[in-house]
Amino acid sequence: MKTEVKLSKNHYVIDENQPHIIPADHPDRQILRQLVNVCPAGLYQLNPDGSLSFDYHGCLECGSCRLLCDEKTLARWRYPAAGYGVTFRFG
């Protein structure tokens, strides 16, 4: 079974008004490349012009990006508010 199929079994409740992860305005390009490689859900994407695309929908809340970066790369990282976020489904 492919990773995308497994991830699609999870249930997400998204807080559209309060993203729990916000990338910084001008992050370091080397760190951005690491973010693209470390995110297990593939939420970080580098565009051909070097800018970062990020969608927090589908975040697994693993914290890998939080451990990798400081406030110069991610302006905010916190867990979603109560009642929001991912619910993992197995099987």
Side-chain angles (χ1 to χ4, degrees):
M1 183 181 286
K2 292 185 174 187
T3 303
E4 295 83 13
V5 175
K6 290 180 180 180
L7 291 175
S8 69
K9 295 185 180 294
N10 295 331
H11 177 70
Y12 301 92
V13 178
I14 306 301
D15 186 353
E16 298 289 346
N17 299 319
Q18 294 291 324
H20 67 285
I21 301 173
I22 299 175
D25 290 336
H26 304 289
D28 180 271
R29 287 188 52 82
Q30 184 175 3
I31 297 294
L32 290 181
R33 286 190 193 96
Q34 293 175 349
L35 279 175
V36 171
N37 292 329
V38 76
C39 180
L43 301 179
Y44 296 91
Q45 300 289 322
L46 275 177
N47 299 316
D49 66 355
S51 63
L52 178 71
S53 293
F54 173 69
D55 183 4
Y56 67 98
H57 301 156
C59 178
L60 301 173
E61 301 170 28
C62 67
S64 298
C65 57
R66 180 181 184 196
L67 293 173
L68 185 66
C69 301
D70 59 13
E71 65 278 353
K72 293 178 184 173
T73 307
L74 295 178
R76 176 196 296 169
W77 196 105
R78 64 182 182 198
Y79 286 106
Y84 294 99
V86 63
T87 302
F88 294 101
R89 295 184 178 179
F90 300 99

